[in-house]
């Protein structure tokens, strides 16, 4: 985290050297570190800044990525209203862009919000839609991630047999 802080600080007096893309990448790295150590507040601040940087630069894919990550970070700190708005915005932007992978990522983000607010049936339906999109795109990593989440959700709602199937399928994809 200190190295990301130092790199960002070095760029401040030399804004022409620290492009928005470089700042986005540095903030993404730092936010991932903050998320890993459980500092959702600091991760949220970086994801929010990333979304603004991308929006200003007209970089919709990175804006959507940042919004999805922001939604997850604010779910982790219990701010479900903000999470809903960010996830829905990311999904709307992805659909407007016509990017099916980003749409699937948005569906996952929205499903995480639904799971967090106690609507597992709706979360499952969103994950199944994301899985179908990832299958159409032949995106194995996306499929495995969706299946893993479906497996986790199935455990939470008391369907161990379904969970076993989802997790086995995910494992096969991860190993491939």
């Amino acid at each position: 985290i200190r190295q990301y802080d130092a790199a960002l600080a070095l760029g401040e007096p030399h804004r022409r050297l620290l492009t928005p893309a470089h700042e986005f990448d540095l903030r993404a790295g730092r936010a991932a570190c903050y998320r890993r150590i459980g500092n959702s507040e600091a991760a949220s601040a970086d994801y929010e800044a990333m979304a603004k940087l991308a929006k200003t630069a007209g970089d919709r894919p990175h804006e959507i990525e940042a919004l999805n990550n922001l939604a997850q970070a604010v779910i982790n700190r219990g701010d479900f209203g903000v999470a809903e708005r960010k996830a829905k915005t990311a999904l709307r932007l992805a659909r407007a862009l016509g990017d099916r992978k980003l749409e699937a990522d948005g569906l996952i983000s929205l499903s995480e919000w639904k799971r967090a607010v106690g609507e597992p049936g709706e979360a499952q339906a969103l994950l199944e839609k994301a899985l179908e999109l990832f299958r159409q795109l032949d995106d194995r990593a996306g499929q495995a991630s969706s299946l893993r989440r479906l497996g986790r959700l199935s455990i939470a709602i008391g369907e161990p047999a379904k969970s076993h199937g989802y997790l086995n399928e995910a494992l096969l994809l991860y190993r491939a």
Side-chain angles (χ1 to χ4, degrees), residues 38-165:
N39 189 340
S40 296
E41 194 70 39
S44 296
D46 273 334
Y47 291 134
E48 188 76 51
M50 290 163 58
K52 288 178 184 171
L53 280 168
K55 184 175 185 171
T56 300
D59 184 348
R60 283 286 193 231
H62 279 112
E63 180 183 0
I64 294 164
E65 174 190 337
L67 289 170
N68 280 325
N69 285 324
L70 178 58
Q72 186 60 54
V74 296
I75 285 170
N76 292 340
R77 67 175 208 236
D79 199 344
F80 302 126
V82 172
E84 176 187 16
R85 287 190 301 278
K86 299 302 180 183
K88 285 181 175 180
T89 299
L91 183 57
R92 180 181 50 78
L93 291 173
R95 285 179 170 157
L97 190 61
D99 188 315
R100 297 182 63 182
K101 186 206 179 304
L102 289 174
E103 180 180 351
D105 290 340
L107 290 167
I108 287 175
S109 184
L110 199 54
S111 78
E112 290 294 316
W113 168 70
K114 287 289 191 180
R115 180 193 52 77
V117 296
E119 297 178 21
E122 291 185 40
Q124 183 175 6
L126 290 163
L127 285 170
E128 288 169 351
K129 286 179 188 175
L131 176 60
E132 181 56 35
L133 282 174
F134 284 128
R135 284 184 170 148
Q136 290 171 10
L137 295 167
D138 197 30
D139 182 330
R140 296 171 76 97
Q143 291 174 55
S145 175
S146 299
L147 288 162
R148 182 181 49 80
R149 291 168 192 272
L150 281 163
R152 232 181 45 219
L153 184 61
S154 295
I155 289 170
I157 60 177
E159 295 179 345
K162 266 179 119 173
S163 175
H164 183 73

